[in-house]
Amino acid sequence: MISRGHLFLYRLIFGLLLLASWELSSGRWIDPFWVSSPSRVFAYLYEVIADGSIFGHLAVTLYETFTGFFVGAVCGIGLGFLLGRREMLAQILDPYVVAFNGIPRIALAPLFIIWFGIGPTSKVILVVIVVFFLTFFNTYAGVKGVDAELKNVLRIMGATERQILMKVTIPAIVPWITTGLKISLPYAIVGAVVGEFIAASKGLGYLINYNTSLFSTTGALGGILVLALVVVVCNEAINRAESYLLRWRPRE
């Protein structure tokens, strides 16, 4: 198995090769107006970091993303767990869940802005809707996928329902939940940014939209690079939390 240090080194080398290819192609094979270049993007980021102008936009987007992500994940995991253990209730609510999930999230964004204004609240609610269904379906599938024979064996051995829940059901659905969280995190950021594209006065989505309106590819790519970095850092945090929660599971 590859060590963590070697893995980091290989990732770094691959990233540097991508940046070098981008830098070399810009101005030689592709007009910099369309793709800018890493040197210009990093110079732009240094400028907005030095004057502090990007931090206000970043704080707004992070607030919208993580507030909506937390609320949506808690509601999605909770309802998925409940319906997974209550078959009758799941059958009653199934067509309504499917119908609401079938509504395009982009179609809801303008309505939320009309109802809740152009401030962060409308973006938070959009993120909640996006995250809710991703975590709900993963959790529900995880609960339904728990081995019934294993639970029956434990009942025969005298285990209580609470012991089965704590020792079998919850450990079994943790990988499903963490997978749902990892999938929903990028979509949470997308939801916040899309809401800012439609109507906002602050945020990374607003900053990217503002730069594209000025035909500044460098500024737009700088904002996109910051968003990508946020996703990578948050995904790594979820991976570490998953490793800790599943530390009991034997490695291959």
Side-chain angles (χ1 to χ4, degrees), residues 145-219:
V146 177
D147 191 347
E149 291 186 5
L150 178 58
K151 293 192 291 186
N152 290 332
V153 169
L154 290 176
R155 289 189 182 100
I156 293 172
M157 296 173 64
T160 64
E161 289 301 320
R162 185 178 184 279
Q163 289 174 323
I164 294 173
L165 176 66
M166 299 302 296
K167 299 296 185 181
V168 177
T169 304
I170 292 179
I173 66 174
V174 166
W176 291 84
I177 292 174
T178 53
T179 299
L181 294 176
K182 285 190 284 188
I183 293 173
S184 61
L185 179 61
Y187 285 97
I189 294 179
V190 168
V193 171
V194 166
E196 292 170 353
F197 278 166
I198 296 174
S201 58
K202 221 168 189 183
L204 289 177
Y206 166 80
L207 183 64
I208 294 170
N209 197 34
Y210 174 75
N211 279 296
T212 54
S213 68
L214 298 177
F215 298 99
S216 174
T217 311
T218 300

Side-chain angles (χ1 to χ4, degrees), residues 44-67:
Y44 167 80
L45 289 176
Y46 175 79
E47 179 184 336
V48 294
I49 290 173
D51 63 22
S53 60
I54 196 171
F55 294 116
H57 296 291
L58 179 61
V60 170
T61 301
L62 291 181
Y63 167 77
E64 295 165 351
T65 299
F66 289 118
T67 302

Side-chain angles (χ1 to χ4, degrees), residues 6-222:
H6 284 92
L7 180 61
F8 175 78
L9 179 62
Y10 295 150
R11 288 174 173 174
L12 179 62
I13 292 172
F14 183 73
L16 292 175
L17 287 174
L18 287 178
L19 291 175
S21 301
W22 180 11
E23 184 71 37
L24 290 173
S25 61
S26 178
R28 290 176 173 83
W29 302 298
I30 307 176
D31 190 337
F33 175 80
W34 304 110
V35 297
S36 187
S37 68
S39 57
R40 292 186 178 92
V41 172
F42 288 129
Y44 167 80
L45 289 176
Y46 175 79
E47 179 184 336
V48 294
I49 290 173
D51 63 22
S53 60
I54 196 171
F55 294 116
H57 296 291
L58 179 61
V60 170
T61 301
L62 291 181
Y63 167 77
E64 295 165 351
T65 299
F66 289 118
T67 302
F69 180 78
F70 177 78
V71 175
V74 169
C75 295
I77 293 170
L79 187 61
F81 186 82
L82 175 65
L83 297 189
R85 292 172 60 85
R86 298 289 184 269
E87 183 66 28
M88 176 70 75
L89 185 60
Q91 291 179 359
I92 293 172
L93 295 181
D94 178 70
Y96 299 97
V97 173
V98 171
F100 282 118
N101 185 46
I103 300 174
R105 310 300 184 268
I106 298 298
L108 295 174
L111 283 175
F112 290 155
I113 290 171
I114 292 173
W115 293 340
F116 304 105
I118 65 171
T121 303
S122 56
K123 287 74 172 180
V124 168
I125 295 174
L126 180 61
V127 173
V128 169
I129 298 297
V130 171
V131 173
F132 170 82
F133 286 103
L134 292 172
T135 53
F136 166 79
F137 284 114
N138 265 55
T139 305
Y140 179 78
V143 174
K144 298 298 289 184
V146 177
D147 191 347
E149 291 186 5
L150 178 58
K151 293 192 291 186
N152 290 332
V153 169
L154 290 176
R155 289 189 182 100
I156 293 172
M157 296 173 64
T160 64
E161 289 301 320
R162 185 178 184 279
Q163 289 174 323
I164 294 173
L165 176 66
M166 299 302 296
K167 299 296 185 181
V168 177
T169 304
I170 292 179
I173 66 174
V174 166
W176 291 84
I177 292 174
T178 53
T179 299
L181 294 176
K182 285 190 284 188
I183 293 173
S184 61
L185 179 61
Y187 285 97
I189 294 179
V190 168
V193 171
V194 166
E196 292 170 353
F197 278 166
I198 296 174
S201 58
K202 221 168 189 183
L204 289 177
Y206 166 80
L207 183 64
I208 294 170
N209 197 34
Y210 174 75
N211 279 296
T212 54
S213 68
L214 298 177
F215 298 99
S216 174
T217 311
T218 300
L221 288 173

Side-chain angles (χ1 to χ4, degrees), residues 227-249:
L227 288 174
L229 181 61
V230 170
V231 171
V232 170
V233 171
C234 294
N235 188 73
E236 181 63 22
I238 294 176
N239 284 335
R240 289 180 178 270
E242 180 184 25
S243 298
Y244 176 77
L245 293 172
L246 297 178
R247 62 191 182 279
W248 53 268
R249 189 168 60 179

